[in-house]
Amino acid sequence: MLLEAHSLSFSYGNTPALSDLTVSLPNGATGLLGPNGAGKTTFVRIIMGLLRIPKGKLRVHGREVATESKALKAVIGLVPEGEILVPDITAVQYTAYAGRISGLSSTEAMDRAHMVLHYVGLGGDRYRKIDGYSKGMRQRLKLAQALVHDPKLLILDEPTDGMDPKARDEMLDLLKELGNDHGKDLLLCTHLLDDVRRVCRRVLVLSQGRKMGLVDIEMQGKDTDLYAVTMRGPIPPFIDFLESHGFKVDVDTDGEGQIALSRGAADQFIQHAVSQSVQIRRLVPLRESLEEVFTRLVSKDT
Amino acid sequence: MPAFPYESLPTPPQPSPRPWLALFGMYFRKQIRRKSVIILLLIANIPTVVGAVFLYLIGQGKLHGGPFSEVIPTIELGLARPFVDSFVLSAAILAAVVGPAALAGERRAGATHFHIIRPMSAWEFLFGHWLVVAVILLFTTLVPLTMLFLFARLVISPELLAALPWIGLLRIMAFSFLVSGFMSLIVISLSAAGNSRRGVTMLWLLLYFGTDIIGSIARGTGLGGKFARCISVPENLDQISSLVLENQLRHSDCGYGAVVVLGFLLLLSVLGLIRGARHIADV
C-alpha cells in the first residue's frame, strides 16, 4: 500500500486545510486533483513531514509519517512547484549533493548524478552552472535531484509547469516509464487533467480539504449503465416494448440515442431486439470524461 | 529524452546520521572559492607576516624600542595586542561577507526548501551553515595566531622561551573558538531570521561597529559612567580576549560585565535561531 490516511485533519489557525481525510492509495501512479485551496499542497507537506499531524494518522509505505519522517524522506523524491536551486554550482554538483544529503556515499552520489542527468536529458549540460538554466531545464533538474537517491515514491507538484509542448510530452513519457518500467509510485499534483490521464492509474479528488472521490482511470466508465445505441428497424414500437419491460430509453425515431442497461442486461436487450426484428448497429458504453468526473465530484461539494 | 538506462540501487538509501557534514562540505567549498572571501583572508593574514618578521627580528635581538619591542615580555604568549585586535577585526568583516550569504542570500533560490525536503532537520541545516562560517572565521583567528605562536617559539632566544609556555596554544585555541563561534552564531541567527542579504550585513555591521561608535561617544561625553564601555561589542570581545589569552581583565570599567553582555547577545542569537528554524521549516 502506498499511503493510508485515517481521519487526517490539519488547520492553518482557524482555517481548515484538511478535514477528516480517510483514504487508502494502492501502489502505482496516482493523480492528486482539486481546485485551489483543496488541500493538495498541505497533504504533500504532511506526507513529507514538513507539517506536524495534529489529528489523525498517516502511513506511507507502511511507515508512520509522524514518527519516521526522516527515514521516509530518504525514500521519497519530491519535485516541488517552486524553485529549489543551490546557486553557483553545476548541475552535476547539485544532483550529487542531493544524493549525499539523502544518504548516498560521495562516489555513489556522483555516479548516480551523472546517470540521472543523462536520463532526464541534461547529460550535455551537466557541467553548466544551474543559474543559467531555462525553466524547462530546471524542471528536468528538479526531477533529477528527486531521482538521484532512487526513491520508491516520487511526489511531483506541477512537473510540466513552464515547459513547451515537446518537453512536456517527454517529461510525461518519462514519468510514465518510471511508473510502469521502474516500479516507482507516483503522486502527481497538477491542474492539468491531461497530464494525470497520461501518467496515472487513478485520481484522488480533493475539495476544501475533503476527499471527494478516488477514481480509477482505467476502470472509469466500465460500471456505468449508460450506453450509446444505434438501431435500425421498427424503432417506435420497439421503444414502447422496451419501456414496458422496464428499460430506460432515450432514442429518437431514427434509432440514435442512449439506453440505460444494468449489469448483465445487455444480452437481454439484444434478445429483445432480435425478437422485435430490430438491428443493433452500435452499442457502446458511454464513458464520462475525466473533466466531467472532476467537475461532478467538485460540484458535489459546493 | 535519451534512452539512457535508469538503474535502481541494490538497497534503498539510509538517511545519514550527520547530513550537516555534506552541507558543510558543499558550502565550505562554495564560500572559500568566492573572490571576496579569498581577498579578505589574504588581507586578514598580512599581520601574520608582519608579526612573523617582527618576532624574527626580536628573536635575533635586532629590534629594540618601538611599539613592538615589548612584544614578548609584556604578553605571555608573545603576541602583540595589535595583531590580536587586527585578527578579530578581520573576523568581524569576514563574518559580514560570509554569514549573510549563507542563508539569506540563498533563500530566494529555494536552497532552504531543497534541504528541508531531504532527511535534514532545520536545526541540522542551521548547524551546518554555522559550522561553515565558524571554520572560515578560524582562518583569521586560530590559524594566524597559532602560526605566530609556533614561529615565536622557533625564533626567540632560549631565555625568552619561558614566556611562551605551551599552555599558550590552548589559550589561543580557546580564544579563537570563542570569537569565531560567537561571531558566526550571531551572523547565522541574523541570516536565519532575516530575509535580505544586504539587510543582514547591515545589521551585523551596525551591531559590531555601531555599538563601538555609540560606546565611544558615551565614553567621550561621560554618559553611562564606567559602564559606557559595556555597550561596545568589540570592547567586550577585547575584554574577553584578555581574560582568555592573558588571564586578566583588560579594563576595570566594565569588568565581568562583558561576559554578561555577550551572554545576553548569545541568548538573543538563540532566539533568532529558533525563529529562523521555524521560518525554515515553514517553507
Side-chain angles (χ1 to χ4, degrees), chain A residues 148-219:
Chain A
V148 69
H149 57 297
D150 194 30
K152 284 201 283 184
L153 168 62
L154 258 182
I155 301 177
L156 307 117
D157 199 355
E158 306 285 355
T160 57
D161 186 34
M163 289 183 132
D164 61 59
K166 186 172 172 285
R168 178 171 166 258
D169 271 353
E170 288 173 346
M171 175 67 98
L172 293 175
D173 287 345
L174 200 75
L175 295 181
K176 200 169 179 178
E177 187 184 302
L178 283 166
N180 292 344
D181 301 344
H182 300 290
K184 303 278 176 220
D185 293 325
L186 304 178
L187 196 58
L188 176 63
C189 305
T190 179
H191 291 94
L192 302 170
L193 299 179
D194 191 45
D195 285 9
V196 173
R197 194 183 293 113
R198 284 180 57 179
V199 174
C200 302
R201 292 180 189 173
R202 68 193 71 80
V203 183
L204 172 64
V205 181
L206 294 178
S207 182
Q208 295 185 4
R210 288 195 293 272
K211 175 188 155 188
M212 304 313 295
L214 181 61
V215 182
D216 193 317
I217 295 176
E218 287 174 351
M219 292 299 290

Side-chain angles (χ1 to χ4, degrees), chain B residues 255-274:
Chain B
Y256 289 98
V259 180
V260 177
V261 173
L262 294 186
F264 179 68
L265 271 177
L266 282 178
L267 182 70
L268 284 182
S269 303
V270 171
L271 292 175
L273 282 176
I274 292 171

Side-chain angles (χ1 to χ4, degrees), chain A residues 65-142:
Chain A
V65 171
T67 54
E68 296 178 85
S69 143
K70 201 166 183 177
L72 268 171
K73 280 182 183 174
V75 289
I76 297 178
L78 175 67
V79 177
E81 188 180 6
E83 293 283 15
I84 49 161
L85 298 179
V86 177
D88 299 324
I89 56 174
T90 64
V92 74
Q93 286 174 326
Y94 172 79
T95 314
Y97 178 48
R100 286 280 290 130
I101 309 177
S102 296
L104 302 180
S105 68
S106 52
T107 318
E108 202 170 33
M110 189 52 84
D111 286 349
R112 285 194 62 83
H114 286 284
M115 185 183 83
V116 292
L117 285 168
H118 274 293
Y119 184 66
V120 301
L122 290 174
D125 296 294
R126 65 190 192 280
Y127 294 115
R128 266 180 62 189
K129 282 202 173 175
I130 55 182
D131 308 62
Y133 270 25
S134 68
K135 185 80 192 285
M137 290 167 85
R138 287 179 184 205
Q139 288 297 102
R140 292 181 196 210
L141 185 63
K142 282 200 267 181

Side-chain angles (χ1 to χ4, degrees), chain A residues 70 85 87 97 102 145 150, chain B residues 9 30 109 115-116 118 124:
Chain A
K70 201 166 183 177
L85 298 179
Y97 178 48
S102 296
Q145 64 80 31
D150 194 30
Chain B
L9 284 167
K30 263 186 78 176
H115 290 90
I116 297 306
R118 305 190 170 278
E124 286 168 329

Side-chain angles (χ1 to χ4, degrees), chain A residues 219-239:
Chain A
M219 292 299 290
Q220 179 206 336
K222 287 192 176 169
D223 288 335
T224 185
D225 58 357
L226 208 60
Y227 285 74
V229 66
T230 305
M231 302 180 288
R232 294 292 179 264
I235 302 301
F238 183 53
I239 292 172

